[in-house]
Amino acid sequence: MTVKTTRFDAAEYLDTPEVQAAFVADAFESGDEAYIKKALATVARARGMTAVAQEADLARATLYKSLSETGDPKLSTLMNILTALGMEISVRTKAPKAA
């Protein structure tokens, strides 16, 4: 018997702005650059890459490239993407590591 599988796409489950923001917040809290880019790219796909690119005033290809594994978006690009997604960054002091 052959088992059929389907490709999992997290973007299909990020269906509210609150869930999307929680996902991106978790990525930023991790401090993992790859996770941050992946989370932003997944939320952008959930919202529609073309719509997010237009709202961020970026070419669609630039959005894809910035959020790719090898991408390194400028701060201005990152801020435009977050604004287009209706999100913002807040900063707080980091808790000291346990000894």
Side-chain angles (χ1 to χ4, degrees):
M1 179 174 147
T2 304
V3 175
K4 285 190 175 187
T5 61
T6 57
R7 187 174 187 92
F8 175 78
D9 185 2
E12 294 176 16
Y13 300 92
L14 299 173
D15 53 0
T16 68
E18 295 78 18
V19 171
Q20 294 167 354
F23 182 43
V24 172
D26 183 66
F28 272 99
E29 287 173 12
S30 77
D32 182 338
E33 181 182 331
Y35 180 25
I36 293 167
K37 288 188 296 187
K38 186 72 168 179
L40 287 169
T42 303
V43 171
R45 282 190 302 101
R47 300 255 186 119
M49 292 296 269
T50 300
V52 172
Q54 289 174 343
E55 186 68 28
D57 198 28
L58 299 169
R60 190 167 171 259
T62 301
L63 180 61
Y64 274 107
K65 183 177 178 182
S66 294
L67 300 178
S68 72
E69 287 183 22
T70 59
D72 190 11
K74 295 188 319 183
L75 180 59
S76 60
T77 302
L78 177 64
M79 296 306 294
N80 286 349
I81 293 168
L82 288 169
T83 299
L85 295 174
M87 299 178 191
E88 62 187 7
I89 296 175
S90 67
V91 177
R92 63 178 184 257
T93 56
K94 191 173 186 176
K97 291 183 179 181

